[in-house]
């Protein structure tokens, strides 16, 4: 949804398709085939990568002329071995996807496919099978990412995922998040405006996807205070926090919340 919102000029050409890992791969493949995509893109995570590759490989057999692009944490690292192992994949959008995806849409929609190889953040194999990895895109300004929940009725009976920061303050060697060296925050006034929208629309559940929500004391407290002051007893908010970072002030305040 964030990718589509950022590529707003091309929203009429972008169609989202959502499935679950509990659905049969044959069903997912047939549903994607029925949509007759000109270009196919997958978001790849640790919990769906096996299914995504299975479906992408089978789709490529049926429609070899359709480019298949992938992005997400599960394919943004060790790219060369991934592409050489999965030759049915056209290329990888490396790192944050909004700007890369928008440029990719621009090239395909305007039939400028010859310019795709120049897009920052793309990695692919050239005609000789050699790895090409373009320079990365600059880290996103989170305030420039559009709010993607304006048509809230489209999310009826769905959990809302919300992002007020990107990056991680830690450097744990076992975690892909440690590779992202920048920790960025969405402006608090903007966050409060968007949280007020969820509360007003009586959304049942909002899950913050910030990797360590309480890594910034002021940021966390401002949001928690806003939620308490505007709570209607309907919308629940979910945060991933590091318990060892909790301050006494935060523990005491959380004890006053519903």
């Amino acid at each position: 949804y964030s990718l589509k919102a950022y590529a707003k000029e091309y929203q009429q050409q972008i169609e989202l398709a959502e499935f679950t890992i509990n659905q049969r791969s044959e069903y997912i493949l047939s549903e994607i085939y029925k949509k007759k995509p000109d270009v196919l893109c997958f978001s790849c995570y640790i919990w769906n990568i096996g299914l995504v590759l299975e479906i992408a490989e089978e789709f490529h057999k049926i429609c070899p002329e359709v480019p298949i692009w992938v992005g997400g944490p599960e394919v943004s690292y060790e790219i060369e071995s991934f592409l050489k192992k999965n030759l049915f994949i056209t290329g990888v959008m490396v790192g944050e996807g909004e700007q890369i995806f928008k440029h990719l849409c621009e090239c395909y929609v305007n039939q400028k496919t010859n310019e795709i190889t120049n897009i920052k953040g793309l990695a692919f194999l050239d005609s000789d099978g050699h790895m090409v990895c373009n320079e990365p895109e600059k880290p996103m300004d989170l305030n420039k990412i559009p709010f993607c929940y304006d048509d809230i009725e489209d999310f009826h009976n769905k959990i809302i995922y919300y992002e007020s920061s990107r990056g991680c303050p830690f450097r744990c060697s076992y975690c892909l998040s440690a590779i992202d060296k920048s920790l960025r925050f969405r402006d608090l006034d903007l966050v409060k405006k968007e949280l007020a929208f969820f509360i007003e629309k009586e959304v049942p559940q909002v899950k913050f996807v910030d990797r360590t929500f309480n890594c910034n004391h002021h940021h966390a407290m401002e949001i928690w205070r806003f939620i308490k002051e505007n709570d209607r007893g309907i919308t629940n908010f979910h945060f991933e926090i590091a318990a060892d970072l909790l301050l006494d002030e935060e523990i005491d305040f959380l004890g006053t919340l519903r």
Side-chain angles (χ1 to χ4, degrees):
Y1 288 99
S2 184
L3 297 178
K4 183 177 181 179
Y6 192 77
K8 55 182 179 295
E9 299 95 326
Y10 312 106
Q11 288 204 13
Q12 297 302 314
Q13 288 87 9
I14 300 170
E15 183 173 358
L16 299 176
E18 291 183 291
F19 305 98
T20 79
I21 56 174
N22 297 316
Q23 292 170 315
R24 291 175 60 86
S25 59
E26 295 88 350
Y27 167 77
I28 299 173
L29 179 64
S30 66
E31 290 299 300
I32 294 174
Y33 176 77
K34 289 175 188 176
K35 294 179 182 294
K36 301 294 183 185
D38 299 302
V39 184
L40 189 57
C41 300
F42 289 99
S43 294
C44 303
Y45 301 91
I46 194 170
W47 46 266
N48 74 356
I49 184 64
L51 190 57
V52 163
L53 291 179
E54 176 188 345
I55 292 166
E57 185 172 17
E58 292 304 310
F59 185 87
H60 179 70
K61 293 175 183 176
I62 303 168
C63 303
E65 75 286 354
V66 176
I68 301 177
W69 292 90
V70 295
E74 202 61 23
V75 295
S76 284
Y77 312 100
E78 299 184 350
I79 304 164
E80 184 171 6
S81 61
F82 170 79
L83 287 172
K84 289 185 175 179
K85 184 179 178 182
N86 302 288
L87 295 175
F88 49 89
I89 299 295
T90 307
V92 177
M93 290 175 261
V94 183
E96 292 180 299
E98 283 91 354
Q99 296 181 83
I100 308 171
F101 179 73
K102 179 179 178 179
H103 294 319
L104 203 61
C105 289
E106 181 181 5
C107 287
Y108 279 117
V109 171
N110 296 322
Q111 298 181 341
K112 297 180 180 179
T113 52
N114 59 312
E115 298 180 9
I116 287 176
T117 55
N118 299 321
I119 295 175
K120 290 181 179 180
L122 286 189
F124 49 90
L125 300 180
D126 63 17
S127 56
D128 296 322
H130 297 134
M131 173 73 175
V132 177
C133 191
N134 293 342
E135 66 173 296
E137 274 283 6
K138 293 179 181 179
M140 290 287 301
D141 178 350
L142 291 196
N143 296 320
K144 293 184 178 179
I145 297 179
F147 186 63
C148 59
Y149 293 113
D150 289 322
D151 297 323
I152 198 65
E153 291 304 316
D154 294 343
F155 300 92
H156 185 63
N157 291 330
K158 292 183 179 180
I159 294 172
I160 297 296
Y161 292 95
Y162 185 78
E163 182 178 46
S164 75
S165 68
R166 275 187 190 174
C168 182
F170 306 115
R171 297 292 178 262
C172 306
S173 60
Y174 56 82
C175 181
L176 288 178
S177 297
I179 299 172
D180 183 359
K181 298 295 190 289
S182 58
L183 180 58
R184 290 151 286 147
F185 295 90
R186 196 163 174 85
D187 185 79
L188 278 169
D189 289 337
L190 192 54
V191 171
K192 291 176 182 179
K193 176 183 176 182
E194 292 165 353
L195 296 185
F197 175 83
F198 295 141
I199 294 170
E200 179 186 342
K201 297 298 182 181
E202 299 186 343
V203 172
Q205 184 78 58
V206 177
K207 286 196 174 187
F208 277 69
V209 295
D210 303 42
R211 288 170 183 155
T212 309
F213 178 76
N214 62 325
C215 65
N216 182 299
H217 170 70
H218 174 72
H219 183 81
M221 287 297 294
E222 280 289 303
I223 291 174
W224 285 339
R225 287 193 186 102
F226 180 83
I227 289 172
K228 180 179 181 178
E229 291 167 1
N230 294 274
D231 180 40
R232 295 185 180 181
I234 295 173
T235 303
N236 294 319
F237 293 89
H238 172 278
F239 306 89
E240 295 187 12
I241 65 173
D244 57 312
L245 296 183
L246 281 173
L247 303 177
D248 289 340
E249 179 188 357
E250 295 168 347
I251 294 172
D252 293 340
F253 182 80
L254 290 174
T256 69
L257 291 171
R258 175 170 60 85

